[in-house]
Amino acid sequence: GLSSMKDLLLSYNYFSGAIPNKIRSLVRLEKLHLDHNSLYGTIPDDVLSLVRLRELKLSHNGHERKCFFGHTQCGLLTNDYQGGDVCCWDYNGKQICSDEAGVETENNDFCLTPALRGTIPVGFGNTPYLEVL
């Protein structure tokens, strides 16, 4: 099954969303390449459980700030927004999402800056085999 997987190489795949906490179930993982996607949110602490990890590539997951007309492109009025992730659709039909830290409201617009945020989890130095970060 997946728990025996050693390499998970998913660079340049247009993935969007957060890195799931279930990453911890890949206990034999040595290489995790998620660079050049559209990931956002924080790096989950569960990455710490991957003690065999030698390579972790997360770069190039940020995007430039884009603004969207709230109700039309995001299905939500800015006055009704109470926090959390927001997803909007651009005029090309592409969905753009951001976690709460990358969401700003201006008049009736949502301005999103999707990116991986935060610090590398404390204790990451306890990953004895890590060579590439």
Side-chain angles (χ1 to χ4, degrees), residues 17-125:
I19 299 172
N21 288 329
K22 291 198 175 226
I23 195 83
R24 70 179 166 269
S25 65
L26 304 175
V27 294
R28 298 191 196 293
L29 202 61
E30 295 179 9
K31 293 181 183 180
L32 178 58
H33 295 191
L34 297 172
D35 53 298
H36 294 89
N37 282 296
S38 297
L39 301 176
Y40 61 87
T42 57
I43 302 168
D45 289 338
D46 292 328
V47 170
L48 293 174
S49 66
L50 304 174
V51 295
R52 295 181 184 209
L53 199 61
R54 292 184 298 116
E55 294 182 12
L56 176 61
K57 294 185 178 183
L58 299 173
S59 67
H60 297 90
N61 274 295
H63 299 278
E64 63 187 51
R65 183 176 187 258
K66 291 186 179 180
C67 294
F68 303 90
F69 186 69
H71 182 67
T72 304
Q73 292 180 282
C74 307
L76 178 68
L77 295 171
T78 55
N79 292 340
D80 295 335
Y81 176 64
Q82 296 181 3
D85 295 358
V86 172
C87 293
C88 302
W89 297 90
D90 69 13
Y91 291 110
N92 296 321
K94 181 179 178 190
Q95 187 179 38
I96 309 291
C97 299
S98 182
D99 66 327
E100 184 173 354
V103 176
E104 298 174 65
T105 58
E106 297 176 2
N107 299 318
N108 294 320
D109 295 341
F110 282 100
C111 295
L112 308 182
T113 309
L116 282 176
R117 302 181 203 296
T119 58
I120 295 172
V122 175
F124 206 71

